[in-house]
Amino acid sequence: EFESNPAGTDAGNEWVELFNNGISSVDLSGWKLVDSGSDETDLSGIILSNGYLIISEPAFNFSLVNTNESLALKDANGSVVDSTLLLIDTSDDGNTWQRFPNGQNSWMLLTSTQGLTNGGYEQPSDNDEDGVVNEEDNCPSIYNPSQTDNDSDGIGNACDSTPDGNG
């Protein structure tokens, strides 16, 4: 989500919000935020799983333009991790460009939700906290990060009463 044309004066009131929809924290050391004019801001800090980071002026080294603005998030290797479309906000109001629902590809100009969900997003569950979301975990009730399944029956060895297939 970002605010390029806040109500009143733009200077000092623009901001960018990053949302981590992953199941692990993200370390932003070496990452950059780049605007459509190729101006870069170095990022730092950690965004917790399902967490937000608000970057406000003057923390970024550029001003967000109200017409034909786009932003790109680059990781420490310089690869684009996420980006916006080329967007326009000519209304001097409290609306912001945001993904709706959170983390999806649809960008909409809506009432600001700074620091809150844009709606419609449900954090994936990882009941056994092994780093594999339940929907992909072959044994979601028992910690098994390796997902070993010797007999390839779709049930991880940690939950399989016959992991060798002989039962």
Side-chain angles (χ1 to χ4, degrees):
E1 179 175 0
F2 69 96
E3 173 63 278
S4 62
N5 194 6
T9 304
D10 287 3
N13 295 308
E14 297 175 335
W15 51 269
V16 175
E17 173 187 270
L18 303 179
F19 172 62
N20 175 9
N21 65 350
I23 61 172
S24 300
S25 297
V26 174
D27 182 353
L28 295 175
S29 299
W31 290 43
K32 296 183 183 297
L33 185 64
V34 183
D35 75 352
S36 55
S38 297
D39 296 312
E40 296 183 347
T41 294
D42 294 326
L43 301 176
S44 63
I46 293 175
I47 306 177
L48 300 176
S49 172
N50 205 30
Y52 300 89
L53 175 69
I54 310 296
I55 307 161
S56 302
E57 288 182 296
F60 47 87
N61 302 325
F62 49 82
S63 237
L64 299 173
V65 295
N66 299 336
T67 57
N68 298 323
E69 181 64 278
S70 66
L71 297 169
L73 179 64
K74 293 184 176 182
D75 66 16
N77 295 320
S79 300
V80 175
V81 174
D82 200 2
S83 63
T84 69
L85 304 172
L86 201 59
L87 301 169
I88 297 171
D89 181 1
T90 56
S91 299
D92 196 20
D93 58 19
N95 289 332
T96 60
W97 280 107
Q98 51 192 270
R99 289 182 186 266
F100 186 84
N102 260 8
Q104 301 302 308
N105 289 327
S106 178
W107 285 92
M108 300 178 77
L109 191 60
L110 300 169
T111 301
S112 173
T113 61
Q114 184 181 24
L116 303 170
T117 181
N118 299 344
Y121 177 78
E122 185 176 319
Q123 174 70 15
S125 297
D126 180 16
N127 292 347
D128 59 8
E129 299 179 349
D130 63 3
V132 182
V133 296
N134 291 348
E135 293 76 25
E136 298 172 13
D137 198 327
N138 64 16
C139 182
S141 61
I142 298 175
Y143 182 86
N144 64 329
S146 68
Q147 299 293 292
T148 304
D149 180 11
N150 289 346
D151 59 5
S152 300
D153 64 355
I155 301 171
N157 287 1
C159 288
D160 196 341
S161 60
T162 57
D164 61 1
N166 297 324

